[in-house]
Amino acid sequence: MATPVLDKVEAEASASPYITVTFRIRRFNPEVSAEAVWEDFQLEIDPKERVLDGLHKIKWDLDGTLTFRRSCAHGICGSDAMRINGRNRLACKTLIKDLNPEKPITVEPIKGLTVLKDLVVDMEPFFQAYRDVMPFLITKETNEPTRERLQSAEDRARFDDTTKCILCAACTSSCPVFWNDGQYFGPAAIVNAHRFIFDSRDEAGEQRLEILNDRDGVWRCRTTFNCTDACPRGIEVTKAIAEVKKALITRRF
Amino acid sequence: MKIHKYDTVIVGAGGAGMRAAIESTKRSRTAVLTKLYPTRSHTGAAQGGMAAALANVEEDNWEWHTFDTVKGGDYLVDQDAAEILAKEAIDSVLDLEKMGLPFNRTPNGTIDQRRFGGHSRNHGEAPVRRSCYAADRTGHMILQTLYQNCVKEGVEFFNEFYVLDQMITEEDGVKRSAGVVAYELATGEIHVFQAKAVIYASGGCGKFFRVTSNAHTLTGDGQAAVYRRGLPLEDMEFFQFHPTGIWRMGILLTEGARGEGGILRNKDGERFMEKYAPVMKDLASRDVVSRSIYTEIREGRGCGPEGDHVYLDLTHLPPEQLDAKLPDITEFARTYLGIEPYTDPIPIQPTAHYAMGGIPTNVEGEVLSDNSTVVPGLYAAGEVACVSVHGANRLGTNSLLDINVFGRRAGIAAAEYSQKADYVELPENPAEFVVSQIEQLRTSTGTERVAEIRRELQETMDANVMVFRTEQTIKTAVEKIAELRERYKNVAIQDKGKRFNTDLLEAIELGNLLDLAEVMAVSALARKESRGGHYREDYPNRDDVNFMRHTMAYREVGDDGTESIRLDYKPVVQTRYQPMERKY
Ligand code: SF4
Ligand code: FES
């Protein structure tokens, strides 16, 4: 291993880390007012902290009414997708130092889903689209094998990328087609259909392709790549959609 | 207030809750209540794998697995339960595969397996490859697969419903479960769920520590709800500190990293685990590794300017192996530390990870109201429960296993019970407790802040009841917690609204944490020995004569309303294995 000298993390940690930043947050509470407004908060924060840490500092020390969803705080539960400086990201995976803390950091709810309070949106349409693609393994076998089904490492690799999805909606709510028409399935649902269509064990690929062949299906995608840029799990969303389109044309998958 | 009637109600939608729901929905009318969305549950954070003696890559069998589990738990494990765990592990893994779980595969297409801490061939001879995995996101894949199958089975979920109270009705001196009372986050409305059977699967309570791998939402709501109603909590002093949390943040870096060949090093670059565990080395059980790390730190061999951490070194592993087997944790190091694990070692420290203790149950998942009496209609499974398969220290990969084996068992048992049982009458004013709790917080004009009390609680827990404990430190914690509980009565919130009032719920969650922290500290104070995750510097040895027994903690309320904790003990079930000294 590298000689255990003071590495850069530790060197940075020993200097006084705090800086002052402004969070500019889109507030909305229908119990108080029908209008959404911007509100600024100033706080002291270590730039190595997360935007989520900043939101917590506000909620815990300045204004308990600030409302957002979160749980794991390290990018695996998918609770806290929001629009940060105009881009969809997870608040718990975005560090202050990567945002230019000189300027106010804007935080808004993700777009295309109804805002319920502050940064909380109605996720139901998103999950409905997910459920519509039949996101579960379907096999026709009447005699289940006693042991596991076999699958080669290569076959397993074909859908590896799309198994990483945490259903955070960052992709779907960054898609201009979805903003204009909430009926569009959206990238996340297609990603999850891909996960099964390309699984060698699954036998309902045709059915799922038919669902996605619908007028609100994959053909609505205009390949703007917003989804791929937004995905906090690094999934090549646009590529997965392209593979589904190709499978629809060739009927091979 | 709304009243609902179901055969079976499941509290929590992580691995245990959804595994139970898949069984229970097939057999009874079931509702699953979760304070999150199912896919947000913390099962998704588990990384390394799920143990099962499939013997796909080398010789293995369930008896070796049972032995490792019992030894790993420092002989506090109930051996009948451990045997069920290890035997049913094999079908549990195969069931998940059939449900669609994308396990990593061997070259001949079977489920691949890797090494993990404390899992050995033939009773401790050498590490064995027993952990079935999907890269380093096995928990994520289990959570997703179970949710997918819940969608398939049409499981009925109530998302963002917080269960705040357990209803118990006493008939002829027998305590029976009547259902639960829940608070709907979106509207602030209170819902009474009358049910013939209730299954708690609401997870752990790690948020009473500051450095923890646990999600913000792991606040022990299930444990607190039943404890408040006079039911006991078992072995709460046993908490697991996972050796490799990201320094200062506590984010989990899987033991699978060491299973793949990663090495722990101190500031001199020394592979120090060779000193403490000559055979299993970096793959000794978690309690042993965490203590070794702190011993290095205390003896001045820690890394960094403050000498407060050690390194997890993966630099000798080929980048392709890291990309294929450990993609998530290497990305955590890059994102949160700015470290490139291909070339630089990762600063780590032990992180509060898992509650071995919880709501006592038998192997069918039935909750106990004392050492042997079942509470009709009440079940628990997963981290919230204590069967006890983990004893004083859980082995890695045994919790993903636990939720599947005992989640399934509880789901079947509860549904079968609700098919033959009648509803228990609701208590007179079923929502009374919840209504007054909420009103009290909403209208409080007190001066205490939730965040401040929580901060002080976490500080005292980190400082006093972590890896090393003494009479002195535990007493300090007990006193501090008592002070905080007093101050909590004077807590006020700022959000007085009904809609998505997370300010209110954080206050309630803090109350749960305070209750459980007290149980933990008081249980730890009374256990004057060292065993598994509970290490007393003033009693450094295991004492089988006096303490080979489970702690049972009960809440007592005196005539004048004063609360106290009464400790009792329960024998350990021993079948095959006699306690031996634990060496790795
Ligand atoms: S594909 Fe990526 S961005 Fe879209 S929901 Fe899944 S994890 Fe989120
Ligand atoms: S809080 Fe879980 S993904 Fe951000």
Side-chain angles (χ1 to χ4, degrees), chain A residues 75 78 81 88 90 123 126 161-162 164-174 187-189 191-192 226-237, chain B residues 40 140:
Chain A
N88 279 6
L90 297 178
M123 294 293 286
F126 173 81
D161 203 33
T162 45
K164 294 176 186 160
C165 177
I166 54 174
L167 299 169
C168 70
C171 55
T172 297
S173 64
S174 71
V191 160
N192 282 281
N226 286 21
C227 51
T228 303
D229 291 340
C231 179
R233 298 287 290 146
I235 299 170
E236 293 181 89
V237 182
Chain B
R40 314 294 186 221
H140 164 79

Side-chain angles (χ1 to χ4, degrees), chain A residues 52 70-80 90 92 166:
Chain A
L52 180 63
R70 52 61 175 145
S71 185
C72 73
H74 66 286
I76 49 94
C77 77
S79 296
D80 60 342
L90 297 178
C92 65
I166 54 174

Side-chain angles (χ1 to χ4, degrees), chain A residues 47 112 206 230:
Chain A
E206 286 288 346

